[in-house]
């Protein structure tokens, strides 16, 4: 899951994450800009800003001033170290983070963001309008590009029907967001004041109960032995599965202190474990944490030392243990591929980092990075021509606000055009257990498709480790190849740590728990409408959403935001949400930001 750079109530932290990008120069007016930053910071430290100012204006002001400095100074390296040191001191002075994190953030992200902001043709107002709410004149990616769909007319739509009783069923194992931490240490501080704890090096922080052997609900990732225990459990039952879908985010959350070597090491460790225990086909997708720095995925036109080839080449070597050699070229170029699972069923793995708002490289050019969406449309047309059904896998769900609107809305168009070909979609990233619905683009009333969003293996934060099994309409003539049922399995962390006997148990069976006779898009649309009216059903869904882990009650804004998300597979689109004067679109956006993982 991503870190949120601009969240209400953490303006200083947001400011620092912007300022790590800011290179200095000898321009005479840069000193004035730096003085503005210093004045803003000291005003905060002295408590001289009202709540309204801190919420509505601080992030915007800091963003514009910082990016103005970058624009004026890009390319003059002589003073960069001096300004980096000054910003590190400001971070420590204003207690944005401790000294270790302030220094780490600066070192980890400075080069990337300096380079991108220095080279982007966008103005500071356009950039800040894109990444900070209600700020400046936002650059709007949706108005700048659209992919070209093939000229073949859309065939008549036949609504999917549930399979006949006794029809064959395929079972697909879903794993995502494992976030394995090789440095996890039982007994370490689990609430240390840093984004990742439960390590020997974790500071004292708030104290309290220390990390359990098998994991912790707080700021901690998956111990190696917990991951191995999961794979041992799955190995015993792998004969039940046809194949595995694995949707990324393998490294831990220590994003202020990661190197390319660190990332490749944990990728190799976990991939080797997967190969050791699971002897069935595995179809991977890339997450946003695989790179160093995290979220950093330059498009193919970025070459030289900033190229992402160090990662994609390594993934191509690993992934082609499971996928045909013919997929290697596309994996090396953009970490996406298409492969035939069996006659009639094609699987397409996409790289959703090319839609991710925290991938700063996209500010150089957001237009269909790597030509991936154009390629996707072509692949789907070929599948339609061949009479194949397609399952799409990826990491970041297309409807999340973290996915840039232009990419998300183009993806939505593609799904709308090929609704009869795309039989299922599987994503991760949120660490929770839910879905997004697609509706027809003509009048937005007919549900057409579903993006299933599976749970994380990591407990980060306040979650039980989990995995999912999707039952798919099976291998027979006329099969819809749609998802016909699903089960979620969890390990109760409290119980595992108390007894030292981890156990992976069925949390719920979807059709049984929700009393659903089938799981077509129309059925899920009906279910969402029931959630709006039936509080008991909503509370049950909310519990499973968090994998039955301890969580806070869901108030009306929470409930409205969650139901809105279930109906919205297109980012930054309020059209399917139930809004009132008490619960506005701005309220929902703020709620989502405040409740994302960080």
């Amino acid at each position: 899951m991503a870190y949120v750079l601009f969240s209400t109530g953490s303006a200083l932290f947001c400011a620092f994450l912007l300022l790590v990008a800011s290179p200095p120069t000898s321009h005479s007016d840069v000193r004035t800009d730096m003085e503005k930053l210093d004045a803003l910071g000291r005003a905060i430290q002295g408590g001289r800003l009202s709540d309204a100012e801190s919420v509505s204006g601080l992030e915007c002001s800091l963003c514009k001033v910082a990016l103005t400095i970058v624009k004026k100074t890009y390319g003059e390296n002589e003073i960069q170290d001096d300004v980096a040191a000054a910003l590190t001191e400001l971070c420590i002075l204003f207690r944005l983070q401790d000294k270790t994190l302030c220094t780490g953030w600066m070192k980890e992200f400075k080069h990337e963001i300096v380079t991108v902001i220095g080279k982007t043709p966008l103005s500071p107002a356009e950039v800040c309008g894109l990444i900070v709410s209600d700020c400046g004149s936002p650059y709007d990616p949706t108005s700048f590009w659209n992919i070209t769909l093939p000229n073949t007319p859309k065939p008549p739509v036949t609504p999917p029907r549930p399979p006949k009783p006794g029809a064959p069923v395929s079972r697909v194992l879903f794993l995502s967001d494992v976030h394995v931490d090789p440095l996890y240490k039982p007994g370490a501080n689990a609430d240390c004041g840093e984004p990742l704890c439960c390590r020997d090096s974790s500071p004292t922080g708030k104290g309290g109960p220390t990390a359990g052997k098998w994991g912790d609900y707080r700021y901690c990732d998956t111990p190696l032995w917990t991951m191995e225990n999961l794979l041992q459990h799955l190995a015993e039952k792998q004969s039940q599965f046809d194949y595995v879908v694995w949707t990324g985010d393998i490294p831990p959350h220590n994003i202020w202190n990661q190197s390319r070597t660190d990332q490749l090491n944990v990728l190799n460790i976990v991939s080797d474990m997967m190969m050791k225990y699971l002897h069935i086909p595995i179809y991977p997708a890339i997450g946003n944490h695989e790179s160093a720095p995290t979220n950093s995925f330059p498009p193919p036109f970025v070459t030289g030392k900033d190229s992402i080839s160090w990662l994609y080449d390594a993934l191509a070597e690993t992934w082609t243990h499971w996928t045909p050699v013919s997929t290697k070229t596309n994996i090396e170029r953009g970490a996406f591929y298409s492969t035939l699972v069996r006659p009639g069923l094609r699987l397409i793995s996409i790289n959703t980092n090319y839609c991710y708002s925290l991938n700063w490289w996209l500010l150089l050019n957001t237009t269909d990075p790597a030509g991936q969406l154009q390629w996707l449309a072509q692949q789907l047309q070929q599948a339609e021509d061949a009479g194949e059904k397609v399952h799409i896998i990826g990491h970041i769900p297309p409807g999340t606000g973290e996915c840039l609107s232009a990419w998300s809305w183009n993806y939505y168009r593609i799904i709308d055009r090929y609704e009869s070909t795309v039989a299922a979609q599987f994503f991760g990233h949120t660490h929770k257990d839910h879905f997004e619905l697609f509706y027809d683009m003509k009048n937005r009333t007919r549900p057409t498709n579903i993006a299933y969003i599976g749970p994380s293996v990591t407990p980060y934060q306040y979650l039980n480790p989990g995995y999912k099994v999707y039952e798919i309409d099976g291998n027979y003539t006329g099969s819809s190849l749609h998802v016909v049922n699903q089960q979620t399995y969890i390990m109760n962390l409290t119980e595992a740590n108390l007894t030292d006997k981890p156990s992976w148990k069925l949390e719920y069976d979807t059709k049984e728990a929700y009393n659903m006779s089938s799981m077509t898009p129309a059925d899920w649309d009906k279910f969402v409408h029931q959630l709006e009216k039936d509080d008991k059903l909503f509370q049950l869904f909310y519990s499973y959403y968090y994998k039955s882990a301890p969580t806070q009650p869901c108030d009306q804004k929470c409930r409205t935001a969650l139901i809105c998300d279930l109906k919205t597979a297109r980012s930054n689109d309020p059209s399917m949400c139930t809004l009132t004067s008490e619960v506005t679109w701005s309220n929902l956006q703020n709620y989502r930001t405040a409740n994302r993982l960080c």
Side-chain angles (χ1 to χ4, degrees):
M1 177 64 184
Y3 287 78
V4 179
L5 300 191
F6 304 98
S7 59
T8 303
S10 59
L12 274 174
F13 188 44
C14 300
F16 171 66
L17 291 177
L18 273 174
L19 293 177
V20 295
S22 303
T25 185
S26 56
H27 285 268
S28 59
D29 54 352
V30 170
R31 180 176 298 277
T32 301
D33 292 325
M34 291 298 293
E35 288 173 352
K36 291 178 183 177
L37 285 175
D38 183 69
L40 281 168
R42 294 186 184 281
I44 301 164
Q45 189 184 37
R48 297 196 299 273
L49 287 177
S50 70
D51 289 342
E53 287 174 314
S54 65
V55 171
S56 64
L58 176 60
E59 293 166 349
C60 186
S61 298
L62 286 167
C63 180
K64 287 181 180 179
V65 174
L67 266 67
T68 298
I69 295 174
V70 176
K71 282 291 189 181
K72 291 175 180 176
T73 64
Y74 176 69
E76 301 190 20
N77 298 320
E78 184 177 343
I79 321 173
Q80 285 192 9
D81 290 342
D82 290 339
V83 172
L87 292 173
T88 302
E89 290 177 9
L90 282 172
C91 174
I92 298 168
L93 174 65
F94 300 131
R95 299 177 182 177
L96 306 184
Q97 289 290 337
D98 62 24
K99 182 177 180 180
T100 300
L101 261 69
C102 288
T103 304
W105 286 119
M106 184 68 65
K107 179 180 178 182
E108 190 79 13
F109 290 95
K110 189 186 80 168
H111 171 74
E112 174 191 349
I113 307 182
V114 164
T115 302
V116 171
I117 299 301
K119 289 184 175 181
T120 182
L122 305 180
S123 69
E126 288 175 314
V127 175
C128 292
L130 179 64
I131 56 180
V132 181
S133 298
D134 301 320
C135 179
S137 304
Y139 163 64
D140 182 7
T142 63
S143 65
F144 280 82
W145 63 273
N146 281 300
I147 67 156
T148 302
L149 293 175
N151 290 326
T152 307
K154 181 177 179 177
V157 174
T158 301
R161 296 178 180 177
K164 295 179 180 180
V169 171
S170 301
R171 304 184 85 233
V172 176
L173 171 63
F174 176 91
L175 298 172
S176 192
D177 297 270
V178 297
H179 289 292
V180 170
D181 185 4
L183 300 182
Y184 184 97
K185 184 177 181 180
N189 188 5
D191 194 1
C192 66
E194 294 184 348
L196 182 67
C197 303
C198 293
R199 291 178 155 196
D200 218 5
S201 59
S202 297
T204 304
K206 296 181 180 179
T210 57
K213 176 180 177 180
W214 297 99
D216 197 279
Y217 287 121
R218 288 163 291 176
Y219 299 89
C220 309
D221 273 323
T222 308
L224 266 172
W225 48 91
T226 301
M227 184 68 195
E228 186 160 31
N229 179 270
L230 169 61
L231 291 175
Q232 290 169 341
H233 157 77
L234 293 172
E236 294 175 357
K237 55 192 301 186
Q238 63 183 304
S239 61
Q240 302 174 18
F241 308 129
D242 291 77
Y243 56 89
V244 183
V245 166
W246 184 21
T247 62
D249 266 16
I250 300 168
H253 282 89
N254 60 318
I255 70 166
W256 71 96
N257 183 28
Q258 292 177 330
S259 67
R260 293 179 176 183
T261 300
D262 293 334
Q263 304 305 77
L264 294 178
N265 181 54
V266 72
L267 289 172
N268 289 334
I269 289 173
V270 178
S271 296
D272 288 347
M273 291 172 68
M274 297 281 283
M275 292 179 201
K276 176 181 177 181
Y277 289 105
L278 299 179
H279 305 134
I280 54 178
I282 298 175
Y283 298 106
I286 190 171
N288 61 293
H289 275 269
E290 268 73 299
S291 187
T294 190
N295 308 325
S296 176
F297 295 88
F301 65 78
V302 177
T303 58
K305 66 179 182 179
D306 292 324
S307 168
I308 195 67
S309 61
W310 66 272
L311 175 61
Y312 290 178
D313 289 352
L315 291 178
E317 288 298 317
T318 300
W319 288 4
T320 49
H321 282 88
W322 303 300
T323 65
V325 176
S326 59
T327 64
K328 192 171 184 179
T329 299
N330 272 332
I331 297 171
E332 289 175 337
R333 182 174 178 274
F336 52 83
Y337 63 88
S338 172
T339 186
L340 202 62
V341 175
R342 60 173 181 259
L345 174 59
R346 178 166 297 278
L347 183 142
I348 298 178
S349 176
I350 60 175
N351 183 351
T352 54
N353 294 300
Y354 290 144
C355 91
Y356 198 29
S357 62
L358 298 187
N359 181 6
W360 287 79
W361 292 102
L362 299 184
L363 290 176
L364 298 182
N365 187 347
T366 64
T367 303
D368 193 16
Q372 179 180 217
L373 290 184
Q374 194 68 61
W375 169 85
L376 175 61
Q378 292 167 354
Q379 290 292 311
L380 292 173
Q381 184 59 57
Q382 292 172 16
E384 181 181 278
D385 294 342
E388 297 170 347
K389 297 294 185 182
V390 173
H391 289 180
I392 297 175
I393 69 172
H395 183 66
I396 300 168
T400 175
E402 298 167 345
C403 184
L404 289 173
S405 298
W407 196 99
S408 175
W409 287 49
N410 271 282
Y411 181 84
Y412 203 98
R413 284 178 60 224
I414 293 171
I415 299 300
D416 182 77
R417 165 60 183 84
Y418 294 100
E419 64 170 287
S420 299
T421 298
V422 178
Q425 304 172 63
F426 305 101
F427 297 91
H429 185 61
T430 69
H431 295 195
K432 300 181 179 72
D433 186 356
H434 53 127
F435 59 90
E436 292 175 351
L437 275 169
F438 291 71
Y439 293 85
D440 69 289
M441 293 188 65
K442 185 175 182 180
N443 53 30
R444 306 296 304 283
T445 58
R446 182 175 61 85
T448 62
N449 223 290
I450 312 156
Y452 290 100
I453 304 169
S456 63
V457 172
T458 184
Y460 193 97
Q461 297 163 326
Y462 299 100
L463 300 166
N464 282 310
Y467 69 90
K468 210 166 185 75
V469 176
Y470 291 101
E471 294 182 2
I472 311 294
D473 195 9
N475 187 14
Y476 63 93
T477 303
S479 171
S480 70
L481 292 170
H482 283 215
V483 175
V484 296
N485 200 6
Q486 53 184 345
Q487 295 87 31
T488 299
Y489 293 80
I490 61 171
M491 182 181 78
N492 185 305
L493 263 185
T494 302
E495 182 181 289
N497 286 328
L498 284 174
T499 64
D500 196 23
K501 295 180 180 179
S503 178
W504 300 86
K505 298 178 180 179
L506 175 67
E507 181 191 25
Y508 75 103
D509 174 285
T510 299
K511 289 174 71 173
E512 181 180 319
Y514 299 146
N515 194 28
M516 298 176 71
S517 59
S518 60
M519 290 174 46
T520 65
D523 293 315
W524 280 115
D525 176 64
K526 180 180 177 181
F527 174 77
V528 172
H529 287 292
Q530 288 176 317
L531 291 179
E532 294 176 314
K533 302 173 183 177
D534 187 336
D535 184 65
K536 185 177 179 180
L537 180 63
F538 177 83
Q539 296 304 329
L540 180 66
F541 173 79
Y542 187 67
S543 174
Y544 293 150
Y545 176 77
Y546 277 99
K547 292 180 285 181
S548 297
T551 188
Q552 297 295 318
C554 188
D555 61 17
Q556 188 57 47
K557 285 183 182 178
C558 159
R559 183 169 178 168
T560 303
L562 182 51
I563 291 174
C564 171
D565 287 345
L566 299 179
K567 296 191 291 185
T568 306
R570 196 164 64 175
S571 72
N572 302 303
D573 177 14
S575 63
M576 300 302 293
C577 303
T578 303
L579 303 175
T580 66
S581 57
E582 289 77 23
V583 182
T584 65
W585 177 241
S586 179
N587 292 150
L588 298 190
Q589 289 178 305
N590 291 337
Y591 176 83
R592 291 191 190 100
T593 299
N595 286 277
R596 288 174 187 160
L597 299 182
C598 186

